[in-house]
Amino acid sequence: MSELSAALAGAVGLYLVVFAVRGLVGIVRAGGEARPLTATADGGVVEVEGTVVDGQRLSSPLQQRPAAFWHVRVVRVRRSPTHPFLRREVDVDQPSAAPITIRTADGPVLVDVAAARMQSGLDVVARDQASTARELVLDGRSQQLRPQAFGSRVVSEGVLVPGDQVWVRGVLQRRGGETWLTAAPDGVVGINTAGHAGRRAGAGAISVIAGLIGLGLLGVSAAALLG
């Protein structure tokens, strides 16, 4: 193996290892600590499973779907002529303002929607070039998305209705006899829809495989360069 090939293999291996580590860290952060609420003190980070049972009757702003809760995210995918990789930047990350209640095995839990973000269950409703201006109207307020020279823009919306099964991660707080989930250390109350556990396991397997391949390539590269 030539030195150039060995160096290239090492670079790819290092990228895969970094990808795997970031993926596993993200899974751990999203996982929370699944334990009974009754065994958790105020201020503890928990992940609870439950069913959406209450919320104001809303209409989602992009698809006009009935909703107890909605979440709109706009991501700009930028390809710079001076950078080899895509860059993803969040332009809009807005939830609805009306509170929602989740029924769990330990009783009802209220979700602090000001910090709530759906981490799965978002549907892409529009995809266009970032070089074009775009207007969104959310909660009666207009938001202007500024055009960018490169890349594309992806607009997604997630909707929850009564009866939806969800996993919610946040900091446990008890207020006046009510149980709340508020923003976790990462700044959000994470909401995942049905199928979350299977997707998380699949993402973990992909991260582990990528890490093993990366370590193998690093080993081959080191042996070729030092041999």
Side-chain angles (χ1 to χ4, degrees):
M1 178 182 289
S2 68
E3 289 188 359
L4 178 60
S5 298
L8 181 60
V12 173
L14 181 60
Y15 174 81
L16 289 175
V17 169
V18 171
F19 169 83
V21 170
R22 291 182 63 181
L24 291 173
V25 168
I27 291 169
V28 171
R29 285 179 176 174
E33 300 176 31
R35 61 185 185 221
L37 298 182
T38 53
T40 305
D42 277 17
V45 178
V46 294
E47 182 181 47
V48 300
E49 179 182 356
T51 304
V52 178
V53 294
D54 193 22
Q56 292 186 19
R57 294 184 178 181
L58 307 174
S59 180
S60 66
L62 302 184
Q63 302 177 87
Q64 303 301 308
R65 294 167 57 190
F69 173 84
W70 55 258
H71 175 207
V72 170
R73 177 180 294 148
V74 180
V75 177
R76 186 165 15 98
V77 183
R78 211 164 39 140
R79 186 186 298 277
S80 170
T82 60
H83 197 279
F85 301 109
L86 295 177
R87 296 182 179 180
R88 299 179 182 273
E89 299 177 2
V90 178
D91 281 346
V92 176
D93 203 18
Q94 182 173 332
S96 55
I100 56 173
T101 302
I102 308 297
R103 183 177 62 242
T104 74
D106 295 308
V109 174
L110 285 84
V111 176
D112 179 7
V113 293
R117 300 293 185 273
M118 289 181 66
Q119 297 172 327
S120 67
L122 290 163
D123 299 321
V124 175
V125 296
R127 198 185 296 266
D128 54 34
Q129 293 301 309
S131 57
T132 60
R134 187 180 180 93
E135 179 187 22
L136 289 180
V137 179
L138 304 176
D139 270 343
R141 296 189 299 272
S142 174
Q143 295 196 29
Q144 300 292 332
L145 304 181
R146 294 178 299 174
Q148 300 290 331
F150 301 98
S152 59
R153 184 186 296 123
V154 180
V155 182
S156 303
E157 180 181 71
V159 170
L160 295 178
V161 299
D164 281 348
Q165 185 181 25
V166 292
W167 286 259
V168 185
R169 175 182 181 268
V171 171
L172 181 66
Q173 289 190 0
R174 295 177 175 89
R175 309 173 184 169
E178 296 178 330
T179 302
W180 285 80
L181 285 183
T182 61
D186 58 6
V188 304
V189 180
I191 299 177
N192 285 283
T193 53
H196 160 59
R199 282 191 295 272
R200 190 160 64 188
I206 292 173
S207 295
V208 169
I209 293 171
L212 292 174
I213 294 174
L215 290 173
L217 289 173
L218 286 174
V220 170
S221 173
L225 292 173
L226 300 175

